[in-house]
Amino acid sequence: TPDDFSSQYKRPCIRRVGFSEADEIRANVDNFFRRRDKQDVDGVFDRHTSSERPFVIRKDKVGAALEELGLVRSVEHITEDLAAFGVSDDVDKETFSRLVQKPTPLEQSLSLLPLAGLLHSCLSFKSVKENATEAVADLTDNEVDLVTSGFKDGLSKLIKQLRDGTSEEKAKLNAQSFDSMVDGNLGNLDTDAEKDKQGENQEVESKFNERIADAGNVEHFYKGLGNRVGSPNEDFEAGVEQEHCAKEGCDESFVALKYGFVTTPRHEYLIAKGDAECPEEQTKDREGRVVRRIPKLSELMELDTVRKAKLRDVEVLALLLYTGPMYQVYNAVLRRSRAWTRQTPGQPARDWTSNNRFATTVHVLVSAVSKVARSQRFACGLQLYRGLGVVR
C-alpha cells in the first residue's frame, strides 16, 4: 500500500477469491464485531504466541495477528504505532488490544457524522430514556427490525449527502476530522485581541463561570509552541525562576479562582519550590474547607511515576505549579485571554501575553507531560473525564 498518512489502515483493493462485494462487506462487519469482543481478540493473541514465550507475540508476527481480525498494516506502521505506545520489542496482550482498538483516520472522519442522533431519532417512537442500554432493553425483535430499517434509510441518505456534497463541504469535513485528531487547544489568533477586549468586560469569580472556549486549527498546530509563547531559556531552572521572580508580571496579583485568595507568580513559585510556607488561609476553598496540600519536591521526586518517566526536578516543579493557581496564568498566555486572571471582579485583568509569556515554564510543562504520557500504559477502552464546567 502507498506510504501515506492513512495507508497503514487500508484494506487491499483486491477482494478475496470467490467473494462478492456483499461477501466482503459482511466479512468486514463480522471482523468489526470480533475486534469489539475481548475474548475473540485474546484468542487471536494466544494463537500467535509461541510455547517458549506464551505471554507475548513476536514483533514480526503482529501483522499476521492483526490481519486475522481484518486489519492490514505494514511492518513500518506497526513499529510506529508501538513506538507511540512506548513499546519497541515483543507485544503483550494489553498492547495488542490497544493496536486492535486504535481508530483509523477514516473512523476519525466518520465519527463526525451524526449517527448517534440518527439512531436516537429511530428509537424515539418507543423510549425517552437517557441511557442507551435502557432505551433498547424493552424492544421486541419486530421493533428492532423497525429501528434498523429506519436507521438504514437514514444512513443511506447521509452517505449520499456526503457523496454528493460540494467540494467545500467535503474539505470542511476532512479538516474537522484532522483537527479532532490533532486536538489543538490554541485560541483563534485572528480574534484573540477582540476576545481579550471583550474579556475585560466580563467578571470571573469562579473557575466554573461560563466562558466561550475556542479551538485552534491545523495551521496553529504546525506553527508550534514556540510561535505561541516564544523560545525557552536554555537553562531551564534559571528560566523558570526568572519568569516567576524577576521578569515583568512576577509580582502582579490575581485571584485564585478555586480558592478566592489573591496571589502572585513569585509567591506561588516560592511556595512550590519550598522556599516559603503556604499561609493557612490559602489552603482553604471559598467555604473554608482545607483542600490544598502542597507536597515537597523531594517527596514528588520519589514517586514511581516520576522515576519511570525520568522527570527532572524542574519538570516536577512546573507540574506542581500548574496544579495550583498558576494554571490560570499559563492558560491566559496560551489562550491569549485576560479573563482568567482578574485581580478583583470588575477590574481590568492583566495582559499576560506581553513581555513575559512564561515560555520556559510552558515548554518544560510540555516536556513533562510528554514524558509521563510515554511512560504510562492504559487499559483499552478506559474512559477519560475532562471537566469543562459550563464552557461552551
Side-chain angles (χ1 to χ4, degrees):
T1 56
D3 187 17
D4 61 22
F5 177 69
S6 61
S7 64
Q8 59 176 310
Y9 304 100
K10 290 181 178 177
R11 298 272 313 181
C13 295
I14 301 175
R15 294 197 302 273
R16 286 167 285 190
V17 177
F19 269 53
S20 65
E21 291 180 342
D23 292 333
E24 189 73 16
I25 290 174
R26 279 192 289 270
N28 289 340
V29 171
D30 288 341
N31 282 328
F32 166 77
F33 283 102
R34 291 183 64 202
R35 292 193 294 270
R36 291 172 59 85
D37 187 329
K38 184 179 184 302
Q39 186 175 353
D40 209 337
V41 173
D42 289 348
V44 172
F45 176 87
D46 293 337
R47 283 195 292 277
H48 287 268
T49 59
S50 63
S51 56
E52 294 80 16
R53 305 191 67 186
F55 302 110
V56 294
I57 300 179
R58 282 172 39 192
K59 188 176 178 180
D60 59 341
K61 301 292 185 183
V62 173
L66 291 174
E67 188 169 358
E68 188 175 331
L69 290 166
L71 299 171
V72 178
R73 302 181 189 176
S74 67
V75 174
E76 292 77 12
H77 289 122
I78 291 173
T79 301
E80 290 177 8
D81 286 344
L82 292 177
F85 296 154
V87 178
S88 59
D89 202 350
D90 296 336
V91 175
D92 62 18
K93 185 172 292 186
E94 180 182 333
T95 302
F96 178 71
S97 181
R98 294 177 68 188
L99 282 173
V100 171
Q101 301 301 329
K102 182 179 178 183
T104 69
L106 179 57
E107 286 180 82
Q108 292 275 4
S109 181
L110 292 174
S111 68
L112 297 173
L113 296 177
L115 299 183
L118 175 60
L119 182 56
H120 175 269
S121 298
C122 296
L123 288 168
S124 296
F125 82 97
K126 177 71 175 180
S127 173
V128 292
K129 301 282 182 63
E130 296 184 357
N131 180 279
T133 304
E134 294 177 355
V136 301
D138 297 330
L139 292 179
T140 65
D141 288 347
N142 182 58
E143 289 171 335
V144 170
D145 291 339
L146 289 174
V147 169
T148 53
S149 177
F151 188 82
K152 173 187 173 184
D153 292 340
L155 180 59
S156 175
K157 186 174 182 178
L158 280 175
I159 293 175
K160 289 174 181 177
Q161 285 180 346
L162 182 61
R163 180 198 64 189
D164 300 331
T166 65
S167 57
E168 291 182 357
E169 291 172 337
K170 294 176 181 178
K172 183 178 180 180
L173 180 66
N174 289 334
Q176 288 175 334
S177 173
F178 190 75
D179 282 344
S180 70
M181 284 183 285
V182 170
D183 195 25
N185 191 32
L186 303 179
N188 189 317
L189 298 183
D190 297 331
T191 60
D192 281 332
E194 181 180 349
K195 294 292 176 60
D196 287 347
K197 189 173 182 180
Q198 294 173 354
E200 293 178 1
N201 299 318
Q202 298 173 351
E203 291 192 3
V204 179
E205 298 180 0
S206 166
K207 178 178 179 180
F208 301 106
N209 276 9
E210 182 177 286
R211 58 180 66 87
I212 297 175
D214 293 313
N217 56 31
V218 178
E219 180 184 357
H220 300 149
F221 173 77
Y222 280 120
K223 283 182 178 179
L225 186 60
N227 179 266
R228 192 68 170 177
V229 300
S231 300
N233 188 325
E234 292 184 0
D235 185 335
F236 297 145
E237 288 81 0
V240 172
E241 181 177 5
Q242 290 167 9
E243 289 165 1
H244 292 81
C245 299
K247 287 192 173 184
E248 179 182 336
C250 67
D251 291 316
E252 186 78 20
S253 59
F254 64 95
V255 177
L257 301 181
K258 182 177 180 180
Y259 308 102
F261 60 79
V262 175
T263 186
T264 67
R266 182 199 298 271
H267 182 64
E268 292 301 317
Y269 175 85
L270 293 176
I271 291 176
K273 193 76 184 296
D275 295 337
E277 291 292 328
C278 180
E280 182 180 354
E281 62 271 15
Q282 294 187 2
T283 64
K284 301 176 181 179
D285 63 12
R286 294 172 181 270
E287 283 71 45
R289 296 169 298 190
V290 177
V291 294
R292 190 184 185 196
R293 174 185 174 273
I294 305 174
K296 295 180 180 179
L297 282 175
S298 58
E299 296 175 353
L300 295 174
M301 293 303 298
E302 297 299 318
L303 295 176
D304 290 341
T305 300
V306 172
R307 290 183 172 181
K308 188 175 181 180
K310 298 180 180 178
L311 295 181
R312 296 171 53 174
D313 289 26
V314 67
E315 291 172 318
V316 176
L317 174 60
L319 289 172
L320 182 57
L321 283 165
Y322 186 74
T323 60
M326 283 304 297
Y327 84 88
Q328 298 170 216
V329 175
Y330 308 148
N331 285 351
V333 170
L334 291 169
R335 298 169 185 175
R336 296 188 176 178
S337 169
R338 306 181 187 190
W340 290 83
T341 53
R342 296 189 183 285
Q343 183 172 9
T344 57
Q347 289 188 355
R350 173 181 171 76
D351 181 4
W352 293 96
T353 65
S354 53
N355 296 327
N356 181 13
R357 299 185 180 182
F358 294 83
T360 305
T361 305
V362 173
H363 278 276
V364 170
L365 266 172
V366 171
S367 172
V369 172
S370 298
K371 285 183 178 180
V372 172
R374 287 195 297 269
S375 68
Q376 296 293 313
R377 302 178 71 179
F378 300 101
C380 227
L382 183 68
Q383 288 185 311
L384 172 65
Y385 295 91
R386 175 67 172 94
L388 291 177
V390 289
V391 169
R392 56 185 174 90

